[in-house]
Amino acid sequence: MTKDDLRRRLEFYQDLGIKTYYRKPRTQPLPEPAPIAQPEAQVVAIKVEQVIPPVAPVALIPLAPEGDTLLRIREDIGDCKRCRLHEARHKIVFGSGSDSARLVFVGEGPGADEDAQGLPFVGRAGQLLTQMIDGTASKEGIPIQRPDVYICNVVKCRPPENRTPQPDEMEVCGAFLFRQLQVLRPKAICALGSTAAKAILGTKEGVTRLRGKWHKWHDIPVMVTYHPSYLLRPYNQNAKREAWEDLKKVLHYVYD
């Protein structure tokens, strides 16, 4: 505001009758506060280590209970109704042979004769198996017969119309088969046919690829060969010869 502006403003107030004027004391503006120095942000790398508490080792459930026996296994099976195979069966076919057998034969499942008698390999295929064991052992000078070995099947009940056991049926019965093998702890196992080979070795390969060579089940040598029922077919002459060669190899391995 100029001096002339101020004079005119005062004259205006006088005309209004205002005689006294007050002026606020002039104040000095406060100095701007000095900026406060902020400490430089320091990035501190903190190493965070994930602390994982130690986990106590889990005790694995043994395949066979401590102190297991063939009698206990049979009692545990009882009047089994764990799968559909019990619906048409007559008798459970557990196994037969020596409790101290050094050689175990494992087949697929009971047929009609086995279902009726409750014993494994008593039909035509069983008679052929007996001839194979007794005859081969005699020719090779090995002093054993069928009662000296142990014979059982993957499934303990006859599948309807002798069909191949289903995977869930094999799984249920397989638990008891594995317990039998653990109790017997033979020097070798002979798997008769593809179903037995699949159950013991967990393989999808057929007998033709597996036979004649040693495999392992829990550190026990396993020989795969043809099922006797397959050998009964008239066009399987080559398979018969190969099966006898497989059996000779097994017998010499176990009893030599």
Side-chain angles (χ1 to χ4, degrees):
M1 181 181 291
T2 64
K3 291 181 180 180
D4 292 336
D5 293 334
L6 180 58
R7 185 175 65 253
R8 284 193 293 271
R9 175 74 57 88
L10 292 174
E11 290 174 352
F12 170 74
Y13 286 135
Q14 285 178 353
D15 293 339
L16 293 175
I18 299 173
K19 305 296 183 181
T20 305
Y21 306 96
Y22 297 94
R23 186 179 64 179
K24 290 183 180 180
R26 184 177 180 181
T27 57
Q28 296 293 335
L30 294 175
E32 295 258 343
I36 301 173
Q38 298 290 336
E40 292 185 4
Q42 295 182 357
V43 179
V44 179
I46 301 176
K47 185 178 181 182
V48 179
E49 295 183 357
Q50 185 179 8
V51 179
I52 302 176
V55 178
V58 178
L60 298 178
I61 299 174
L63 188 62
E66 186 176 355
D68 208 7
T69 64
L70 293 176
L71 177 60
R72 180 177 176 183
I73 299 169
R74 182 62 187 89
E75 291 174 347
D76 287 347
I77 291 176
D79 184 24
C80 186
K81 296 180 181 179
R82 295 174 177 85
C83 77
R84 66 185 72 86
L85 291 183
H86 81 276
E87 296 171 359
R89 72 146 187 259
H90 290 92
K91 291 186 178 180
I92 292 174
V93 182
F94 180 68
S96 67
S98 172
D99 291 358
S100 58
R102 299 171 63 189
L103 174 60
V104 174
F105 289 87
V106 179
E108 178 179 296
D113 295 307
E114 291 77 14
D115 183 48
Q117 298 184 41
L119 294 170
F121 284 90
V122 292
R124 290 184 61 219
Q127 294 168 11
L128 178 57
L129 180 60
T130 301
Q131 294 173 14
M132 292 173 64
I133 296 171
D134 294 355
T136 305
S138 176
K139 289 180 181 179
E140 298 299 314
I142 300 172
I144 66 144
Q145 291 185 321
R146 172 170 168 160
D148 298 308
V149 303
Y150 192 87
I151 302 175
C152 57
N153 286 303
V154 174
V155 294
K156 312 303 184 189
C157 299
R158 181 194 180 193
E161 304 300 323
N162 291 340
R163 66 162 172 77
T164 302
Q166 298 296 318
D168 60 323
E169 299 162 352
M170 293 171 59
E171 183 178 1
V172 171
C173 265
F176 297 110
L177 168 64
F178 295 163
R179 285 177 62 185
Q180 287 175 288
L181 296 177
Q182 285 282 42
V183 168
L184 292 165
R185 296 297 301 176
K187 188 172 180 180
I189 299 168
C190 185
L192 302 171
S194 60
T195 298
K198 291 175 182 177
I200 295 172
L201 301 177
T203 181
K204 294 182 179 180
E205 293 187 344
V207 175
T208 305
R209 287 182 173 272
L210 296 171
R211 62 152 297 274
K213 301 184 288 288
W214 287 108
H215 308 273
K216 288 281 189 179
W217 180 84
H218 289 254
D219 295 328
I220 298 176
V222 177
M223 177 66 68
V224 177
T225 193
Y226 300 101
H227 194 284
S229 63
Y230 179 77
L231 301 177
L232 288 172
R233 301 170 189 175
Y235 52 82
N236 289 334
Q237 297 303 316
N238 288 336
K240 290 180 180 178
R241 177 183 54 79
E242 292 172 344
W244 258 272
E245 291 298 322
D246 295 338
L247 184 55
K248 284 196 297 184
K249 186 179 295 187
V250 171
L251 291 176
H252 281 293
Y253 173 80
V254 174
Y255 295 104
D256 280 355

